[in-house]
Amino acid sequence: AARSLTLARNSANRMTASFLASEGIELARQARDEAYLTNYPNDSATAWSTFLPNQLVVYQCSGNGCYFSNTDKGALATACGSADCKNEGRLYIDSSKGTYTTDPASGAATPFYRYLKIDKQATYIVATCTVTWQFQGQTYTETQQSIITYWL
């Protein structure tokens, strides 16, 4: 019975990590969409060339990557200090809102760490979101990647 409970708990962690990684990819898409819809609704080429060097999430998440929280006013990204972003971006659960955040004052610590890395290319970005967690002394990783292009 104990083994079944352990397997169930780890399956739940994997599912949560998968959702958290998907949310990271959506952050990059949301940043692109906001840049287009707000500033350049009719000119996707200009929007893309402006988006790549100037959008905060893209800028902060290039290089080593970033960790981030969704806030009431969008996403707040913080550049990682180390090349692998380990031990940065710990997630806390805000039980009053049911959301995850990197703010320790918002709620209880979770076992999850999440970071997003953006690789800029001329006509697309590659967004890679990695979630790590420890369970019974073993480290697990969930990684999702997506190519995000400019709107045509």
Side-chain angles (χ1 to χ4, degrees), residues 6-84:
T6 299
L7 291 172
R9 177 64 175 217
N10 199 30
S11 292
N13 285 342
R14 283 183 186 275
M15 188 169 63
T16 299
S18 178
F19 289 137
L20 290 169
S22 292
E23 184 179 56
I25 299 298
E26 284 303 314
L27 170 67
R29 284 191 186 108
Q30 176 187 357
R32 179 211 45 198
D33 294 351
E34 286 178 4
Y36 280 75
L37 296 173
T38 302
N39 301 313
Y40 304 96
N42 299 314
D43 184 359
S44 65
T46 302
W48 185 257
S49 63
T50 303
F51 165 74
L52 281 179
N54 297 322
Q55 212 288 330
L56 178 64
V57 170
V58 172
Y59 174 75
Q60 292 285 55
C61 299
S62 298
N64 290 341
C66 69
Y67 54 95
F68 62 92
S69 285
N70 290 329
T71 66
D72 291 336
K73 296 180 180 176
L76 176 64
T78 304
C80 292
S82 63
D84 59 8

Side-chain angles (χ1 to χ4, degrees), residues 68-114:
F68 62 92
S69 285
N70 290 329
T71 66
D72 291 336
K73 296 180 180 176
L76 176 64
T78 304
C80 292
S82 63
D84 59 8
C85 210
K86 287 197 175 172
N87 301 317
E88 297 180 66
R90 181 165 203 162
L91 295 175
Y92 300 83
I93 187 126
D94 182 340
S95 58
S96 68
K97 295 180 181 178
T99 58
Y100 288 86
T101 178
T102 55
D103 181 7
S106 294
T110 72
F112 302 104
Y113 292 79
R114 173 177 60 186

